[in-house]
Amino acid sequence: MADVLVYALHHDGAFNKNSLGAVCEGVARSAEIGGACDVVVVGGGDLTDALCATLGHHGARRVFRAQGPEGLSQPVIDVMDSVIAEHGHRYAIFGGGLLGFEIGAGLAARRQAGVTMEVTAVRVDPEHPGTLVAERPILGDSKISVSRYRGELGIIISRINAFEVRPGDGGEAEVLDVHVDYSPWSAQLEMLSRGEQRGAEVDIEGADMLVAGGRGLGKAESFRLVEELAAALGPGSAVAATRAVVDAGWYPYSTQIGQTGKTVAPKLYLAAGISGAVQHKVGMQSSENIVAINKDANAPIFEFSDLGIVGDLNKILPKLTEAIRARKG
Ligand SMILES: Cc1cc2nc3c(=O)[nH]c(=O)nc-3n(C[C@H](O)[C@H](O)[C@H](O)COP(=O)(O)OP(=O)(O)OC[C@H]3O[C@@H](n4cnc5c(N)ncnc54)[C@H](O)[C@@H]3O)c2cc1C
């Protein structure tokens, strides 16, 4: 029997998509190795019994709830360390993102565990049934490396949103309060405020349709073309950007897609004036439909687009927006 422990982050009365994906992955993989998936949550009074129990909808067995500051890594490491010491979980799975990386790395150091980051798939080791291996793309995503874990604990940190959120059986998880004596260093940092990053009031990782702008837009003001198209597409749409654009200060960092930005998989990814560099591609290649507008017919983005439009985005974007508005009446 090998159980999996997952950390779930919550904000404003809901667990974030990245955490729920990790819970679903933990549930699916633990079932394959004869165990179950438990979840650790750390926070205040807003982590109610009812909210924590909803993790059972996705198949989680128990939720270990500790009072403490939410969104800081050290207290979570203390709680996970204590839960693992008592219950002997074999694997810990985290959704990617800065917090997941910090907690996963800290927990690995604390428990002297093996850790793999940027994982995109986890599966049962065919040579050692009852254990898991983690797959991680390397060398610009041209190859996959596979890690096997020795020792008592294996730590798996995914790419952001690499794991799909799957509906569970609708059951409720058992909620257990745990009391942990936090390490002295866990109290050395205080959260002053939590909230969305400036310009990120729209959840681009959860959006169904993304209109992404690249350097081909020419200047910050031209992002208006991209914003208007996203607005015409309606609710569920958001604007994204390349690193070239955010580095130039044309759009907020929170919208950057790619290797050093966010990983997304919307139903539609419309890329305007984006060349399709591999570092951008890795963040959006799982999108269901990729449409690219680029004036260069040889732009790499056309190699992995479902629909390519060769032309000037300054002419095409306004026409597309107009056509969508007309169609929507
Ligand atoms: C370690 C590392 C990490 C990185 N991480 C990321 C990352 O996370 N995300 C990311 O995006 N990049 C990342 N990059 C940068 C990446 O390599 C590219 O430089 C970047 O993605 C290019 O952005 P772009 O497509 O907007 O610009 P460009 O490559 O300059 O492409 C602009 C495109 O616009 C087209 N164009 C120009 N004018 C028009 C027009 N009027 N109409 C239509 N098309 C037009 C051009 O033909 C061109 O194809 C990273 C790089 C490194 C080294």
Side-chain angles (χ1 to χ4, degrees):
M1 188 186 84
D3 292 337
V4 172
L5 190 63
V6 173
Y7 166 65
L9 177 71
H10 116 285
H11 184 57
D12 262 356
F15 290 103
N16 81 347
K17 184 180 165 196
N18 197 28
S19 296
L20 290 178
V23 170
C24 293
E25 189 68 16
V27 168
R29 300 292 82 84
S30 59
E32 290 174 347
I33 53 175
C37 178
D38 298 325
V39 183
V40 159
V41 295
V42 178
D46 47 351
L47 277 172
T48 60
D49 285 352
L51 177 64
C52 293
T54 61
L55 291 167
H57 298 184
H58 300 280
R61 174 182 59 179
R62 296 180 292 195
V63 176
F64 295 101
R65 175 177 58 189
Q67 291 293 313
E70 179 145 27
L72 295 180
S73 57
Q74 291 293 352
V76 179
I77 294 167
D78 285 343
V79 177
M80 294 189 81
D81 181 31
S82 155
V83 169
I84 291 168
E86 186 173 346
H87 299 275
H89 293 86
R90 176 71 181 85
Y91 299 96
I93 299 185
F94 298 88
L98 290 181
L99 193 62
F101 286 123
E102 274 187 30
I103 300 169
L107 186 63
R110 185 80 63 90
R111 297 203 67 83
Q112 304 195 352
V115 58
T116 317
M117 302 198 180
E118 297 272 326
V119 170
T120 52
V122 182
R123 56 186 170 77
V124 175
D125 186 346
E127 289 172 32
H128 299 88
T131 65
L132 297 176
V133 292
E135 291 186 3
R136 172 191 181 188
I138 54 167
L139 300 174
D141 283 5
S142 61
K143 305 276 179 216
I144 297 282
S145 79
V146 181
S147 311
R148 173 181 292 153
Y149 295 88
R150 294 198 200 101
E152 292 176 1
L153 177 68
I155 295 181
I156 295 160
I157 309 175
S158 78
R159 277 191 180 167
I160 293 181
N161 292 332
F163 300 138
E164 202 184 330
V165 180
R166 289 178 286 261
D169 62 2
E172 298 216 324
E174 183 186 3
V175 183
L176 301 165
D177 284 309
V178 290
H179 302 278
V180 175
D181 292 327
Y182 288 117
S183 312
W185 52 85
S186 291
Q188 297 301 313
L189 196 64
E190 185 184 348
M191 178 73 77
L192 295 181
S193 66
R194 280 185 83 208
E196 295 296 334
Q197 198 175 331
R198 184 175 56 85
E201 55 282 345
V202 184
D203 170 20
I204 67 169
E205 285 155 286
D208 279 339
M209 291 176 279
L210 284 177
V211 185
R215 189 150 43 194
L217 282 163
K219 54 184 188 296
E221 293 69 34
S222 299
F223 257 86
R224 184 181 45 81
L225 300 174
V226 173
E227 288 171 341
E228 283 173 358
L229 177 54
L233 287 167
S237 336
V239 172
T242 63
R243 177 158 161 184
V245 158
V246 302
D247 280 349
W250 295 357
Y251 226 63
Y253 272 103
S254 56
T255 61
Q256 183 191 323
I257 305 299
Q259 183 183 322
T260 43
K262 291 178 174 158
T263 302
V264 292
K267 295 198 172 95
L268 171 67
Y269 192 91
L270 195 150
I274 294 177
S275 59
V278 65
Q279 295 90 352
H280 187 76
K281 180 184 173 191
V282 297
M284 45 68 79
Q285 62 191 351
S286 303
S287 305
E288 274 179 46
N289 297 287
I290 298 173
V291 177
I293 304 170
N294 198 302
K295 68 178 185 184
D296 175 6
N298 295 315
I301 193 141
F302 289 134
E303 290 165 19
F304 52 93
S305 296
D306 299 290
L307 177 66
I309 305 165
V310 180
D312 183 352
L313 61 85
N314 294 296
K315 292 183 184 149
I316 295 164
L317 284 177
K319 287 202 172 128
L320 203 51
T321 305
E322 206 178 299
I324 289 166
R325 281 188 191 140
R327 196 177 170 117
K328 290 198 164 188

